[in-house]
Amino acid sequence: MYGLGLAALLFVLLLPFAGKAFHIDDTFYVRVGADFLRDPLHPYNSTLNWDGKEESLWKISLHPPLHSYLMAGALLFVGENEIPLHVVWALLAAGCTYLMFQIARQLCTHPVMATLLAVLCPGFFVSATTLMADISLLFFWLLAVYFAILARNTNRTGFLWLAAVCSAAAAMTKYFGIALVPLLSVWLAATIWMSRREGKLAISPAWIAGWLAVSCLPVMVVSAWGFYAKAQPECGLFHPLAAARFSTSEQHSMSEQFALSEDAGNEMVDGVRVALSFLGGSLVWPLFLLPACRFLSGWLKMGLVAMLLFTIIAGWYAISFPDGRQIDFSYVEITDAMAFAGSIAVVIAIASCIARRDGDSLLLGLWFFGTLFFCSFINWSVNVRVILLAIFPLCVLVVRWGESLKKNQPWLLWTKIAVGPTLLVSLIVAIADYDFASVGREFAQTAVRELIQSGEQITFAGHWGFQYYMEKEGAHPIDFDADLTLDELRGYYLNKTGIMIYPLNNARLNPRMYNIALIEEVNSSLPRFGVHSMCGEANAGFYSSVWGTVPYNIDPEIPVDAFSVYRIIE
């Protein structure tokens, strides 16, 4: 009953955000889902101008198709409407909550606390207000882990096959889901070895077959999909490797363009600092556990102090960008504070693994630290969407550490105190993200609609939810290859007529055009509570560290978004 109650609580908390506009990559999945609905047997068999160029979906999509099929199913029943679609994904998030509780009750004695820490923090709560693949991946991931734990606890090998199927589903939702293969394979192998040594588990051919299914089935499914993609004329590549190549090349490109230090050798240092700040900002509650850190061992306390010094020193390298942009020093302080919160979480996770050296700590440790490593050094940018997978195992590790203390009442007190402020921050950040999504919809449905009704032809840059609503009104996304002609001396000539519109917060490409003249700058309202979720000027980048070194930030003087309206001069 506790699990259902927690799931219901989260669902109720998410309902006020059901009217959120399509946001970030929601647009992509809604478009692709609609395509899949029309032709389900030929995925990615259409084109889209997503980042300034009309391309095949095979070249644009970095993910396998399962989430888009889920979107197609939702569109079939509820249509292309924001409110019912968000309700569907809120139910999926509630399912994640229920699975978290069921897993936590197998691994600790305070599963309600572990679940609340996981689902009420900004990283999970804000992610649950979107329609992207992250919650779907988390659901299948949790389901795979749950079945693997049931197989261990009940000695029923059928659960291993269910874990294998769910692992394959996770891998076909986002390619990172394939990480379940080494995670569960290593953990199950260690579990088998420890159980045999203790005489608790008899190894049968069925167990070996189940373990092989967990180890091989997801790889086989993803490989089959990759070869199918390679056979398509529009793709011609082994899709999983193509996506991985994009991730590494994009990471290198972003490092050159947005690196916080001119010295390439500092990129790794800055990556760690930013990953820690995103982890801390995604959680919030570790700051409230600082008093409980007195129970850490001496060398772990020294490690925590060292990590604090590391974030402060690394912050000095972030005062200025190579291209001359300056960062407000208060932004550096906020980054350091969030990075310190992340450091507390990491140190407590290490303490938990040391205090309880068993198979469960191995599972949780590999899950948490592996995800954090991927986010810090492999993914194209640090973002909450990846850190989302690390939140729940960390929460269980923290609870297990508290339970291992001889005097755990202070830990329980501070943990309970942390839940309220964490939820408050989550609601504020969710509102900020809701407003950021809304301003693009409102601008398209008011100013742009009025211009089009007056006979103007509208061209725009930018994508995400803004693109969805602009195209719905009849505006056209710019094609940087087809619509621009380069003059070596003067810049680019825009081969269009009418109006050109640039949003402030989601147009990465902004080539200099000499035949456009600024008509007006349309600023949206100032942010409620002064909080930004995605704003380069405010150093906030919830969905990508390209926009900022923290997932959210406070700057009440910067508008939520702004739109530059230009007249194209023929």
Side-chain angles (χ1 to χ4, degrees), residues 5 96 209:
C96 291

Side-chain angles (χ1 to χ4, degrees), residues 312-378:
I312 293 174
I313 294 172
W316 286 101
Y317 289 96
I319 299 272
S320 62
F321 286 88
D323 61 6
R325 288 177 294 153
Q326 297 294 312
I327 291 182
D328 190 302
F329 186 72
S330 64
Y331 292 167
V332 178
E333 292 177 325
I334 292 174
T335 304
D336 289 344
M338 290 190 180
F340 183 55
S343 300
I344 294 172
V346 169
V347 170
I348 292 179
I350 294 172
S352 178
C353 292
I354 294 173
R356 302 178 68 164
R357 304 182 189 184
D358 53 21
D360 294 340
S361 290
L362 176 65
L363 171 66
L364 296 167
L366 289 175
W367 182 353
F368 169 65
F369 289 106
T371 304
L372 192 61
F373 178 85
F374 175 83
C375 185
S376 303
F377 303 116
I378 299 176

Side-chain angles (χ1 to χ4, degrees), residues 294-318:
R294 69 180 186 271
F295 298 111
L296 294 169
S297 64
W299 69 273
L300 283 176
K301 290 178 183 177
M302 293 176 60
L304 183 59
V305 172
M307 294 178 76
L308 173 61
L309 293 175
F310 163 79
T311 59
I312 293 174
I313 294 172
W316 286 101
Y317 289 96

Side-chain angles (χ1 to χ4, degrees), residues 198-210:
E198 298 171 2
K200 295 181 179 180
L201 183 65
I203 304 304
S204 64
W207 255 97
I208 300 300

Side-chain angles (χ1 to χ4, degrees), residues 173-194:
T173 302
K174 293 182 76 171
Y175 286 124
F176 184 63
I178 202 70
L180 277 165
V181 170
L183 172 64
L184 295 182
S185 297
V186 170
W187 175 68
L188 286 170
T191 297
I192 291 171
W193 178 77
M194 288 185 289

